[in-house]
Amino acid sequence: MSVDQKPVGAAGEDRTQAAPEQEGADRSFGSRLGASAAVQWLERYSLLVLLIVIVAFFGFIWMQTASTFMQLANFQNIVRSQTVLAVLALGAIVPLVCGQFDLSIGNVAGMASVFTAAVFARWHVPLPVGIAIGIALGTLAGAVNGAVVTRLGVSSFIATLGSAAVITGIVNWYTQGLSIIQGIPAQLTVFGGGNWFGIPSPFYVVAVAALLVYYLLEHTPYGRNLHAVGSNVESARLVGLGIPRIVFLSFVVSGAAAGLGGVLLVADSGAGNPSVGSSFTLTALTAAFLGATSVKPGRFNVVGTLLAIFFLATAITGLTFAGVQDYINDLFTGFALVLAVGISVLLSRRRLGGSR
Amino acid sequence: MADEAVALGLSGLSKTFPGTRALAGVDLDLRPGEIHALVGGNGSGKSTLIKILAGVYQADPGGVIEVAGRVAAAADQWSPRDAFAAGLRFVHQNPGIFLDLTVAENIAVGAGFPTGPAGSIRWRELRARTDALIERYHLRAAPDQPLRLLRPADRTMVAIARALQDRERNQHGILVLDEPTTSLPAADVDLLLDALRRYAAGGLTILYVSHRIDEVLSLADRVSVLRDGSLVGTVAAADTTEAGVVAMIVGRRLEAGRGRDRAVGAGRAVLEARGLSGGPVRGVDLTLREGEVLGLAGLLGAGQSELLRVLFGALPAASGELLVEGIARRFAGPADAMAAGIGYVPSERGVEALFPSMTVRENVSAGSVARYFRGLRLRHDEESRDVVAAMREFLIRAPSDVAPAFTLSGGNQQKLVLARWLRRRPRILLLDEPTQGVDVGSRQEIYTLLHRAAESGTAAIVVSSDFGELERLCHRVAVMRRGRLVAELRAPDIDEHRLTEIAHLSEEVA
């Protein structure tokens, strides 16, 4: 039982490879190692590389867009337009890490934006109170989702699909389908449209949210337990983890993020619009899945998610500049979602296949 | 053999796996309409023989399989198609039935639904076919009843009826039943056995594989016993007794225990159970002392695994008392048991213990991450240092502490799970089949780790179906039968064969 040093990649000792020709075996092993290292590097930085490629393409290569694309205002617009989505996607990865879907995030954000606008318009509450109400409503919706999943045992897919519909109903009943545009505090809309040091001010909120989610997932026991539940529920139960509490809290976090996204939506658009919320859900989940193929392949992660959002937005903006019409948005997002999931399935199969 | 009609004849059946001879020249013959039982201990070759009959394994060249005197084939050429064409039908321990489908649907699955020209199901025809089977096989069921509403015995009978549905009037049908009663409640066992007797009276030949000797003797006409891959003999059930069959299973190799003296006498009791029940576990009394390794032996499904789960709070205790270090405890879940100093290594490593996609580090510290959370952040460096040290201490070979757990070999995965618990220095460690699916080298290392832990005061309970392992490892072995502790052997008198013998007997032994 010598603790012998094994080369990286030859982890399984039941994989005793007979090497009839020593030299040939060594060479093939070396090149395999080289190839797999390159593949790993590509896997890790694929989204960053794609983002750079796409910026270079529309900025320098494609003549039709080159003049307009590489302007500060364009990048500011891209960043500003993605802040709500980024906050939602960051929230969505928390339940995803423990294997649960929150399909209601877009609708929850829509609801939070409508009622935040409403408390400003009707009761003229101070700015911090309005913001707090928006976030609290999102948190409450998340708690209801979490309770339905953990107490009633309804699958998260069904529970959040249902709550998304219920929320849409409540919003339409309350607004009668009309946007609330009166009485939004100017401070909020100025913040939504402003820049600090050249960067759109709502992006700082995204940055704080990203740091919080990153901290939660990577630097707290809760985050580690969340990964454990996502990796193997039964093992998690048998190391003493309280699964219901962990899952419940993940929905609370995604609900709170959706509430914050709703407030940002008011800041961005200056209104509580009852019809925009649901469109965020699919894109946010796409970004989360696309992000999971990169940076930490196989894991939902903060940096990958943010890169995915800006990759999608930049590509779509570039295509729009090139004259492609609006439908490209849905086409591109849909393909990206299926491709992202397809790629991650293939990669994990290759990883498993390579080790067994 | 020549003067009697033969429904199924096997001669010279052998099977060699790399490193072991699972079957060695087995001759067996079944008469038409006979219930023939096949018994033997763990690893005696029963399942190998059945898999050869089914064509799943190919036997070594030289054996012959003969069915009803008509088909004779070289056993190494026997395929699943041959088995089916010869009228051999198999119902396994897990009978592959669908609880939410109706009886008629269950009958049609596999055999095919009768369909009309457009491919639509002819329900009336299927129902009629099912009615005929219900009558022929005495099922207490209606075609449209979901299987979930049937008694467990009737569910098994549906599986039998499905397997035999194309056999007209039972002619030339041979039914192979593999441990059909293991998961049945006691009352249902009798129902099923009654049904089998009736089928046999109607002309069906049955090969009945079981390890419940009392059941076998009440059911079968003749009993064949396998040991270490060889046929010990075939006897008429009427001419033998339970003790006689058990002696054949065990062999007459009863010697004094080979284990060295490992008596742990007067240590402090760390765990006491009184009248503990839960799941299949019935009224268990046991005392576990500091530094002691207690083995739990028994047949498959006797309740050993469930007893560990009750002790760990993973299965609720229905009644009884549990004292850990003299303090009465009632566990609402594993977290409570862990707080009381108990650890649990489950048998299905991949399903119940490992986090395959996570790193070695994350796997080792699963369940105790909180200790690295100080000053509002996880101390990853400290965690890594601890885990690297644990890898050295617990003999885990992995490229690094951030290698994903699924890339490790089975043995290293098991040592990983052991390390997770042992580094917490548990007072009590519960282990279910700790060396299952582990290579020989790792097995030795696991024994070493367990001995080391025991020497430092950890008490352990080990469940294993490898009784030789218990003989080597334990200070004391208790035998479970149908949820109860029925006997206890102490080192140096622990003996593999004696354990097999006690596990098989149905009556109390002195």
Side-chain angles (χ1 to χ4, degrees):
Chain A
M1 42 181 223
S2 62
V3 187
D4 51 348
Q5 222 54 43
K6 294 218 172 195
V8 180
E13 58 191 4
D14 49 2
R15 221 160 30 105
T16 39
Q17 279 184 324
E21 25 178 329
Q22 194 66 40
E23 199 188 328
D26 274 0
R27 211 174 334 115
S28 78
F29 182 75
S31 66
R32 192 152 47 87
L33 197 69
S36 80
V39 168
Q40 272 180 13
W41 188 91
L42 254 182
E43 229 179 307
R44 191 153 296 170
Y45 298 104
S46 56
L47 276 174
L48 189 60
V49 171
L50 277 173
L51 184 58
I52 291 168
V53 166
I54 223 138
V55 168
F57 180 78
F58 288 114
F60 302 110
I61 297 166
W62 192 250
M63 296 315 288
Q64 208 182 332
T65 55
S67 56
T68 45
F69 193 81
M70 285 305 282
Q71 288 179 3
L72 180 62
N74 181 39
F75 289 111
Q76 286 175 336
N77 275 337
I78 291 177
V79 169
R80 195 187 312 281
S81 67
Q82 300 304 310
T83 49
V84 176
L85 188 68
V87 170
L88 296 194
L90 288 168
I93 61 178
V94 176
L96 283 175
V97 165
C98 69
Q100 306 287 331
F101 283 85
D102 187 345
L103 301 180
S104 70
I105 42 173
N107 305 70
V108 171
M111 173 192 72
S113 76
V114 162
F115 287 105
T116 305
V119 295
F120 288 134
R122 281 214 175 171
W123 292 296
H124 310 288
V125 299
L127 184 63
V129 174
I131 292 172
I133 287 176
I135 297 173
L137 276 174
T139 311
L140 178 69
V144 171
N145 279 334
V148 171
V149 170
T150 55
R151 289 290 157 105
L152 300 183
V154 178
S155 96
S156 65
F157 221 84
I158 302 299
T160 57
L161 204 57
S163 69
V166 169
I167 287 166
T168 305
I170 291 173
V171 167
N172 285 332
W173 162 73
Y174 181 75
T175 61
Q176 301 297 314
L178 301 173
S179 287
I180 299 169
I181 49 174
Q182 302 286 314
I184 311 295
Q187 283 160 289
L188 193 60
T189 50
V190 165
F191 172 82
N195 296 312
W196 289 350
F197 307 106
I199 294 172
S201 27
F203 186 75
Y204 292 96
V205 178
V206 174
V208 170
L211 282 175
L212 282 175
V213 173
Y214 174 77
Y215 169 76
L216 185 74
L217 291 182
E218 306 297 333
H219 282 276
T220 65
Y222 174 73
R224 183 68 69 77
N225 294 342
L226 211 56
H227 280 112
V229 173
S231 179
N232 188 341
V233 178
E234 194 51 27
S235 299
R237 191 173 83 87
L238 291 177
V239 292
L241 301 185
I243 316 281
R245 190 184 135 267
I246 290 169
V247 170
F248 174 81
L249 284 177
S250 78
F251 282 101
V252 171
V253 173
S254 72
L260 177 63
V263 174
L264 284 180
L265 195 55
V266 177
D268 185 51
S269 64
N273 184 336
S275 59
V276 295
S278 61
S279 63
F280 286 106
T281 306
L282 183 69
T283 321
L285 291 174
T286 303
F289 276 100
L290 197 54
T293 63
S294 195
V295 185
K296 287 187 177 175
R299 276 196 182 196
F300 292 98
N301 65 80
V302 168
V303 179
T305 304
L306 290 179
L307 282 174
I309 284 177
F310 291 109
F311 162 69
L312 287 173
T314 310
I316 289 169
T317 308
L319 288 168
T320 317
F321 274 37
V324 187
Q325 284 169 24
D326 264 1
Y327 59 77
I328 193 64
N329 215 317
D330 289 331
L331 275 183
F332 204 84
T333 308
F335 275 120
L337 175 62
V338 175
L339 269 179
V341 176
I343 289 170
S344 57
V345 169
L346 277 180
L347 288 180
S348 71
R349 198 179 295 157
R350 189 181 55 93
R351 273 198 294 269
L352 287 166
S355 75
R356 301 265 149 199
Chain B
M1 210 209 285
D3 54 331
E4 302 243 19
V6 173
L8 173 69
L10 310 175
S11 54
L13 218 56
S14 299
K15 176 68 185 173
T16 313
F17 290 110
T20 52
R21 191 115 196 256
L23 273 186
V26 171
D27 298 322
L28 202 66
D29 66 289
L30 271 66
R31 297 169 193 150
E34 174 186 46
I35 301 182
H36 195 115
L38 186 62
V39 298
N42 297 327
S44 61
K46 288 176 300 187
S47 45
T48 306
L49 187 133
I50 290 175
K51 283 180 177 148
I52 290 172
L53 272 182
V56 176
Y57 289 167
Q58 264 58 58
D60 296 345
V64 174
I65 296 175
E66 191 185 345
V67 178
R70 296 174 307 140
V71 195
D76 55 327
Q77 306 285 329
W78 192 252
S79 70
R81 188 184 300 240
D82 294 331
F84 190 86
L88 283 167
R89 297 292 180 270
F90 297 82
V91 174
H92 296 285
Q93 192 180 332
N94 173 1
I97 48 175
F98 304 91
L99 292 181
D100 292 316
L101 298 185
T102 65
V103 174
E105 287 165 334
N106 268 284
I107 293 288
V109 167
F113 288 87
T115 51
S120 60
I121 296 173
R122 292 171 191 260
W123 287 108
R124 194 172 307 170
E125 186 183 329
L126 176 59
R127 220 167 277 133
R129 204 166 88 190
T130 308
D131 268 326
L133 285 172
I134 284 175
E135 199 188 319
R136 197 197 312 166
Y137 291 104
H138 317 284
L139 303 177
R140 278 148 305 188
D144 293 328
Q145 250 177 331
L147 237 56
R148 196 177 289 285
L149 300 182
L150 268 51
R151 292 193 62 138
D154 287 304
R155 296 176 195 163
T156 307
M157 284 156 70
V158 169
I160 293 172
R162 176 176 64 189
L164 293 169
Q165 58 185 301
D166 63 329
R167 301 277 100 189
E168 296 286 318
R169 304 262 150 250
N170 299 333
Q171 279 177 351
H172 309 305
I174 299 165
L175 177 66
V176 180
L177 282 171
D178 189 3
E179 309 271 9
T181 56
T182 306
S183 53
L184 290 185
D188 281 81
V189 170
D190 294 334
L191 286 176
L192 181 66
L193 297 189
D194 281 344
L196 293 178
R197 285 187 198 101
R198 259 178 286 162
Y199 301 164
L204 182 68
T205 309
I206 300 176
L207 181 61
Y208 186 88
V209 180
S210 179
H211 49 222
R212 292 192 176 164
I213 311 302
D214 53 335
E215 200 175 288
V216 157
L217 287 178
S218 85
L219 175 71
D221 300 302
R222 290 190 299 161
V223 181
S224 288
V225 181
L226 287 178
R227 183 185 351 120
D228 300 332
S230 301
L231 183 73
V232 182
T234 299
V235 291
D239 298 343
T240 189
T241 60
E242 212 176 311
V245 175
V246 170
M248 289 171 80
I249 291 174
V250 175
R252 302 195 185 277
R253 297 195 289 147
L254 286 179
E255 320 147 11
R258 280 168 285 154
R260 57 200 159 91
D261 187 43
R262 287 182 299 244
V264 172
R268 214 156 40 91
V270 287
L271 182 85
E272 285 168 88
R274 292 194 201 118
L276 197 65
S277 297
V281 177
R282 301 268 170 277
V284 163
D285 296 310
L286 67 81
T287 304
L288 184 67
R289 298 187 182 281
E290 201 168 15
E292 181 181 38
V293 181
L294 169 67
L296 279 182
L299 300 175
L300 197 74
Q304 313 92 303
S305 297
E306 288 82 359
L307 175 56
L308 293 193
R309 287 184 162 255
V310 170
L311 293 175
F312 191 58
L315 190 68
S319 60
E321 269 184 80
L322 184 62
L323 283 83
V324 180
E325 306 210 304
I327 303 162
R329 302 275 189 176
R330 187 159 280 277
F331 298 143
D336 291 352
M338 285 164 65
I342 303 180
Y344 172 55
V345 177
S347 64
E348 299 264 341
R349 176 174 61 241
V351 184
E352 299 179 323
L354 211 64
F355 299 100
S357 61
M358 299 176 81
T359 62
V360 170
R361 188 200 295 175
E362 291 166 329
N363 268 277
V364 169
S365 50
S368 53
V369 206
R371 71 158 92 160
Y372 298 110
F373 189 65
R374 281 198 316 273
L376 286 180
R377 66 188 188 88
L378 274 183
R379 306 286 167 168
H380 286 120
D381 295 353
E382 193 184 326
E383 185 189 12
S384 174
R385 254 196 318 278
D386 281 5
V387 170
V388 169
M391 285 166 69
R392 212 172 305 127
E393 182 181 354
F394 301 111
L395 316 172
I396 301 165
R397 276 179 290 281
S400 79
D401 67 323
V402 291
F406 71 81
T407 62
L408 271 57
S409 71
N412 281 306
Q413 289 180 351
Q414 187 69 357
K415 285 180 277 177
L416 185 71
V417 176
L418 269 173
R420 177 190 296 163
W421 294 109
L422 286 177
R423 78 186 195 120
R424 301 168 69 106
R425 313 286 165 210
R427 289 190 196 112
I428 301 155
L429 186 60
L430 312 171
L431 303 111
D432 198 351
E433 303 285 358
T435 60
Q436 202 173 58
V438 159
D439 59 288
V440 184
S442 297
R443 181 177 299 220
Q444 286 307 324
E445 292 175 347
I446 288 169
Y447 295 156
T448 308
L449 294 176
L450 286 179
H451 280 307
R452 253 191 238 163
E455 273 160 25
S456 69
T458 295
I461 305 184
V462 182
V463 168
S464 178
S465 52
D466 177 353
F467 297 162
E469 174 169 292
L470 295 179
E471 179 182 320
R472 302 190 38 185
L473 201 57
C474 300
H475 302 110
R476 198 153 58 95
V477 178
V479 183
M480 280 189 87
R481 226 163 33 211
R482 302 193 183 178
R484 295 178 186 282
L485 287 187
V486 292
E488 185 183 298
L489 300 181
R490 282 170 181 279
D493 299 324
I494 301 168
D495 178 277
E496 180 179 354
H497 303 291
R498 179 78 184 128
L499 289 174
T500 307
E501 187 175 52
I502 301 170
H504 278 87
L505 286 170
S506 71
E507 280 151 38
E508 300 300 317
V509 281

